[in-house]
Amino acid sequence: ARAAACLAAALSACCPGEGAPRSRQAPLPASAPAAAPGAPALRVLLVGDLGDDTCQRDAVSQGMARATRGAAFDLALALGDNVYDCGPDPALPGAEACSFGPDGATAAPGYRPPEDPAYRRAHDDAVAALLDRAGDALPVWMVLGNHDVASAGGCAVPRLSAEETGRRRACLEASRRAPGWRMGGRHYALDAGPARFVVLDSNLLVGDYGGFSAGDEAAFARAALAGCEARPCFVALHHPPASAGSHGVSHAPDRRAALEAEVSGLAAAFLAGHDHDLQHLRTEAGTDVFVSGNGSRGRGRERFHRVEPPGASLLFASTAWGFATLEVWGSGAWALRFENARGRALHCCRSGSAAGPCVPAPCEPAPP
C-alpha cells in the first residue's frame, strides 16, 4: 500500500519524489539500423543499485513489474549494490564456513548460507512481482557491487580483518539460492538465447580485496569471451568503464586498460550500475557503455558536465528513476531502451549486428 501511494503521489509526505529529472541527449544521427523484424528472442531487464528500501525503489520496482506484465521477459540482471549499506552479515552463525572452490569464484558445493533478514528488505521484496514469459518468478541474476563486499568504516566487523570481511560477504552472496536471486559465482558466464553475459567482479578493477586478484579477473574475461565474434556478448559489471556521473570512473587506469584490451572487438557493450542515474556512453575504443543504476538511490542534482575517461563520449544521461530493457534477436541484432518508473521511454538505440555499435534512434512504442 505504501508503494502504491508513493508512486501515485510522488510529492506526498511518504516520498520526496524525484523532482524534475535532469537530462542530456546528444543529437540523434541521421540514420540508424532498421528495427529488427519480428519479436526478439531474448528480453532482459537491467537495473542496478536496487538494494535499499526507499520509495524510489518502490516506484522502480512497480515500473519493472508493470513492464513484465506487458511483455515477455526472460531474465533480469541486478547490476550490483544488492544489499545496502554493507552487504550480508558475515558474523551470522554459519557464515564462517562459507568458502570458495578452487576457481576462487564459485562457492564450495554443499554449503548453505545462514538466513539473513537483510536480503528480504534490500532485494527480495523489490523483485517479487517480476514475471517471466510463463508468468512465473523472473530469474534475477546478480552482480557484485562495492557495497556488497564493504569492509571499511561503519562496515567493519569486530574480530574480522578487512580481507576476511570482504571475502566472506562475497561468498555469502555467491552461495545464496532463492526465488529472485541467482548468482553463478563471484564472476560467471551466462548463456541465454542468442546472447552471452560475462559477469565480472569489478571491485577488482578498483583495487584488490579478499585475497582475489585483478589478473584472475582478466583471465576469466578472456576465456569467457571466446567465440563472441559470432554472437552478442555483454560484459555485466558494477563499476562502469566510462561515466559522466559524479562517481566518475572508479577503475584504476591500468586495470581499465587491461579489461578494455580483453573485450575490444568481442563485447557488444558494457552493462553497469554504480552511478545512480541512467547513461549511454561510448568508450574511445568504440564500445557502448550503459549505466542503469537508479534503482533505489538517486542523485537529482547530477549535471553530467564531465565525461571520463578522456576520449569517451556521452550520448544520453538522465537522473530519472528508471531501468533499461535489452532486446536481442536471433540474427544478432540488439536494441536497448531506457524508461522511467512510469513507463515513458527516455532513450533508445539499435544495433544491426552482434558487435554493435548501438546507434541512438527514436523510441518505438512499448509492447502493449
Side-chain angles (χ1 to χ4, degrees), residues 80-142:
D81 283 359
N82 311 310
V83 182
Y84 279 114
D85 281 305
C86 302
D89 185 352
L92 287 173
E96 73 284 352
C98 194
S99 63
F100 286 96
D103 62 1
T106 54
Y111 174 74
R112 295 187 63 180
E115 281 296 319
D116 190 331
Y119 286 121
R120 178 175 179 180
R121 172 195 60 77
H123 176 80
D124 296 350
D125 288 349
V127 302
L130 306 185
L131 304 177
D132 68 6
R133 291 177 182 269
D136 298 323
L138 186 71
V140 182
W141 290 86
M142 313 303 296

Side-chain angles (χ1 to χ4, degrees), residues 296-313:
S296 69
R297 293 183 173 186
R299 285 198 174 94
R301 296 183 180 181
E302 191 69 81
R303 294 184 178 276
F304 309 110
H305 63 284
R306 184 179 65 182
V307 182
E308 297 180 356
S313 56

Side-chain angles (χ1 to χ4, degrees), residues 109-185:
Y111 174 74
R112 295 187 63 180
E115 281 296 319
D116 190 331
Y119 286 121
R120 178 175 179 180
R121 172 195 60 77
H123 176 80
D124 296 350
D125 288 349
V127 302
L130 306 185
L131 304 177
D132 68 6
R133 291 177 182 269
D136 298 323
L138 186 71
V140 182
W141 290 86
M142 313 303 296
V143 176
L144 281 175
N146 54 294
H147 281 275
D148 298 307
V149 299
S151 60
C155 295
V157 179
R159 296 184 295 279
L160 288 182
S161 67
E163 180 171 290
E164 178 60 22
T165 298
R167 186 179 185 90
R168 195 179 291 186
R169 283 185 162 132
C171 188
L172 290 170
E173 289 208 7
S175 63
R176 187 177 191 237
R177 300 291 181 269
W181 182 290
R182 301 189 184 188
M183 185 179 284

Side-chain angles (χ1 to χ4, degrees), residues 29-336:
S31 62
L42 179 72
R43 186 177 276 119
V44 182
L45 272 176
L46 304 174
V47 64
D49 305 75
L50 195 64
D52 197 8
D53 182 13
T54 64
C55 61
Q56 176 180 340
R57 205 271 305 274
D58 291 339
V60 172
S61 297
Q62 287 191 30
M64 293 192 299
R66 186 169 52 247
T68 66
R69 291 193 297 269
F73 277 84
D74 299 280
L75 61 101
L77 280 171
L79 296 163
D81 283 359
N82 311 310
V83 182
Y84 279 114
D85 281 305
C86 302
D89 185 352
L92 287 173
E96 73 284 352
C98 194
S99 63
F100 286 96
D103 62 1
T106 54
Y111 174 74
R112 295 187 63 180
E115 281 296 319
D116 190 331
Y119 286 121
R120 178 175 179 180
R121 172 195 60 77
H123 176 80
D124 296 350
D125 288 349
V127 302
L130 306 185
L131 304 177
D132 68 6
R133 291 177 182 269
D136 298 323
L138 186 71
V140 182
W141 290 86
M142 313 303 296
V143 176
L144 281 175
N146 54 294
H147 281 275
D148 298 307
V149 299
S151 60
C155 295
V157 179
R159 296 184 295 279
L160 288 182
S161 67
E163 180 171 290
E164 178 60 22
T165 298
R167 186 179 185 90
R168 195 179 291 186
R169 283 185 162 132
C171 188
L172 290 170
E173 289 208 7
S175 63
R176 187 177 191 237
R177 300 291 181 269
W181 182 290
R182 301 189 184 188
M183 185 179 284
R186 191 178 51 77
H187 58 222
Y188 58 97
L190 172 65
D191 292 317
R196 165 167 278 207
F197 297 91
V198 177
V199 178
L200 300 181
D201 182 356
S202 62
N203 292 298
L204 290 166
L205 299 175
V206 180
D208 291 347
Y209 82 100
F212 309 117
S213 77
D216 290 343
E217 209 66 19
F220 170 76
R222 184 184 313 119
L225 288 165
C228 285
E229 301 89 347
R231 62 170 171 168
C233 291
F234 300 92
V235 174
L237 72 178
H238 182 61
H239 303 82
S243 175
S246 57
H247 266 136
V249 174
S250 302
H251 299 188
D254 58 333
R255 300 184 184 204
R256 184 184 72 246
L259 175 63
E260 292 194 24
E262 297 294 348
V263 308
S264 180
L266 296 174
F270 291 100
L271 312 175
H274 194 52
D275 268 320
H276 299 171
D277 48 43
L278 309 174
Q279 299 181 56
H280 177 192
L281 307 103
R282 193 162 292 146
T283 67
E284 185 176 21
T287 307
D288 286 287
V289 178
F290 299 102
V291 178
S292 182
N294 215 7
S296 69
R297 293 183 173 186
R299 285 198 174 94
R301 296 183 180 181
E302 191 69 81
R303 294 184 178 276
F304 309 110
H305 63 284
R306 184 179 65 182
V307 182
E308 297 180 356
S313 56
L314 178 66
L315 303 174
F316 162 78
S318 178
T319 62
W321 299 352
F323 55 94
T325 297
L326 172 67
E327 297 177 318
V328 186
W329 282 260
S331 64
W334 56 278
L336 189 133

